[in-house]
Amino acid sequence: MSQMRFNLINTSFPVELLVEVIQRIPFDSTVVLKLALVHSRFHELLVNYQTSIAKNFALRNLPHACQDFPCDENSITYAWLARCIQQYDVVDDVMAVLLSDMNCYAVEKHNMAVVNTGLLLLYRLCSIDDQNDKIAFIKSLPQDPLTAIFLSVDYATRTARYHGKGTINQNTYGRFLDANRLELRNDVEFCFSEGIMNLGPEFISDSLLNADESETTLMCLYHDHTIHDWDTANVDVGDFMPPVTQGPAQNPVTRRRSLYTTLLERLAELIDCPPSEVVSRIIHDIEVPDHSLAWLDLRGKERLVQGLDLEYVDGN
């Protein structure tokens, strides 16, 4: 064993073979740091061959990572790989809740793959820093990828209505909804959807599994997007009482464009229907187990993540 350790760190041991040995070690978020501390030669190889080692790790352990989280060759790093693993873990956690038999609005099996793909597309949206670029990205997408995004947002929002914590939960409004309570629920759920579009699957995971931080974010979105002039002074205690938020109201002229509204408007344009009918149209269409995005396979998922419709010609 000691002779083997000596050979690996000896400069006479071929670099290519040592890189091959490193690439066969199971990857986790700490393996690179631990290897770098073993010997200076390991540290040097990990730095100089980062792209090839990280790419090989991905191909061996996460064969679809480069398609699910597209990036250029120079961006394939250990940090990128660790981020892919973390994002896959979040998607798995969210899907477990959305598919649970305990979920009142569980994802049907024929829609499981397209909702999963929608979560991956949300990560792609969240990887864009500038808000205007995010809006441009949404407007550039065709119907199928946008439908996948919408379904992941819609299933998550409806699941949070019954199983989330805080204001998003149905218990906030009670079993019987008058006009005020229905409007409040619609406003809160709109803001929840906006939070998903801006923050991605992490916001869904926090809302369904953690809740503390997500509630603060939801109330900030509520303050920015849906403040109403409720006549709370004349409401009896225990009766209708909307959330109370503080802070300066945003100027409607300079307020950031809503990503969720942009999504609905773009879908309305593609489906050729009024924005107010988009939700009901899509929900109706995806109920049947043979709709166009049902039982999505890996090839279909790859095309949607690339921002393409399922229908294609000449292999493009």
Side-chain angles (χ1 to χ4, degrees):
M1 181 63 71
S2 61
Q3 183 65 28
M4 177 60 70
R5 286 200 299 267
F6 172 77
N7 287 338
L8 288 175
I9 63 177
N10 193 293
T11 54
S12 64
F13 192 88
V15 171
E16 294 79 6
L17 291 180
L18 183 52
V19 170
E20 180 69 20
V21 170
I22 292 175
Q23 289 174 161
R24 292 182 178 275
I25 299 173
F27 182 87
D28 62 37
S29 59
T30 64
V31 67
V32 173
L33 177 61
K34 291 177 180 177
L35 283 174
L37 296 175
V38 169
H39 191 272
S40 58
R41 192 179 189 210
F42 281 21
H43 180 274
E44 181 181 356
L45 288 176
L46 288 167
V47 172
N48 294 336
Y49 293 86
Q50 176 172 201
T51 298
S52 62
I53 293 175
K55 189 173 184 178
N56 192 276
F57 272 137
L59 291 174
R60 288 178 182 274
N61 300 283
L62 306 171
H64 304 292
C66 291
Q67 289 78 41
D68 293 343
F69 307 105
C71 64
D72 59 64
E73 187 78 12
N74 294 329
S75 298
I76 300 179
T77 62
Y78 306 129
W80 170 83
L81 190 56
R83 187 165 59 251
C84 288
I85 294 173
Q86 186 268 335
Q87 291 174 343
Y88 274 134
D89 287 343
V90 171
V91 169
D92 288 345
D93 289 343
V94 170
M95 287 301 298
V97 177
L98 297 185
L99 291 167
S100 172
D101 292 337
M102 303 297 292
N103 184 358
C104 296
Y105 197 77
V107 177
E108 303 87 347
K109 289 184 179 180
H110 63 269
N111 289 324
M112 179 174 65
V114 68
V115 171
N116 185 277
T117 303
L119 294 174
L120 297 175
L121 280 163
L122 282 170
Y123 269 124
R124 186 174 177 189
L125 176 64
C126 293
S127 69
I128 302 172
D129 293 328
D130 185 78
Q131 188 79 356
N132 291 327
D133 291 341
K134 290 183 178 183
I135 291 173
F137 174 70
I138 294 172
K139 290 182 176 180
S140 72
L141 292 177
Q143 182 174 333
D144 289 347
L146 290 173
T147 300
I149 292 175
F150 168 80
L151 289 177
S152 65
V153 173
D154 189 69
Y155 275 107
T157 301
R158 294 173 187 261
T159 297
R161 177 190 295 177
Y162 300 105
H163 305 284
K165 306 295 183 182
T167 308
I168 188 65
N169 192 281
Q170 177 75 12
N171 289 332
T172 300
Y173 323 104
R175 291 182 60 188
F176 303 104
L177 298 178
D178 58 18
N180 279 333
R181 287 181 174 84
L182 182 59
E183 184 175 3
L184 173 60
R185 189 184 75 174
N186 291 340
D187 285 347
V188 171
E189 291 188 355
F190 170 86
C191 293
F192 187 84
S193 300
E194 184 68 15
I196 296 174
M197 295 290 292
N198 279 276
L199 303 173
E202 267 87 0
F203 180 74
I204 303 174
S205 177
D206 286 343
S207 300
L208 298 176
L209 302 173
N210 299 318
D212 290 341
E213 293 185 7
S214 64
E215 179 72 3
T216 301
T217 302
L218 181 61
M219 287 298 96
C220 288
L221 290 165
Y222 177 86
H223 180 83
D224 288 343
H225 288 279
T226 59
I227 290 297
H228 290 278
D229 188 19
W230 303 111
D231 186 15
T232 55
N234 296 321
V235 176
D236 294 332
V237 176
D239 203 348
F240 170 72
M241 184 63 69
V244 177
T245 59
Q246 297 179 340
Q250 289 193 3
N251 187 328
V253 177
T254 60
R255 178 184 297 166
R256 294 202 311 176
R257 172 74 171 167
S258 163
L259 297 183
Y260 186 61
T261 300
T262 303
L263 171 68
L264 295 181
E265 290 177 347
R266 173 60 175 160
L267 280 168
E269 175 187 343
L270 295 169
I271 298 174
D272 191 22
C273 73
S276 60
E277 296 180 11
V278 167
V279 174
S280 59
R281 286 276 295 270
I282 294 179
I283 295 301
H284 176 269
D285 290 344
I286 58 94
E287 288 179 347
V288 296
D290 60 349
H291 66 85
S292 61
L293 295 177
W295 310 108
L296 195 68
D297 58 16
L298 289 175
R299 173 58 176 160
K301 183 194 76 169
E302 182 179 346
R303 286 190 60 82
L304 263 60
V305 171
Q306 290 174 347
L308 303 172
D309 273 336
L310 289 188
E311 296 180 1
Y312 56 97
V313 181
D314 297 331
N316 295 321

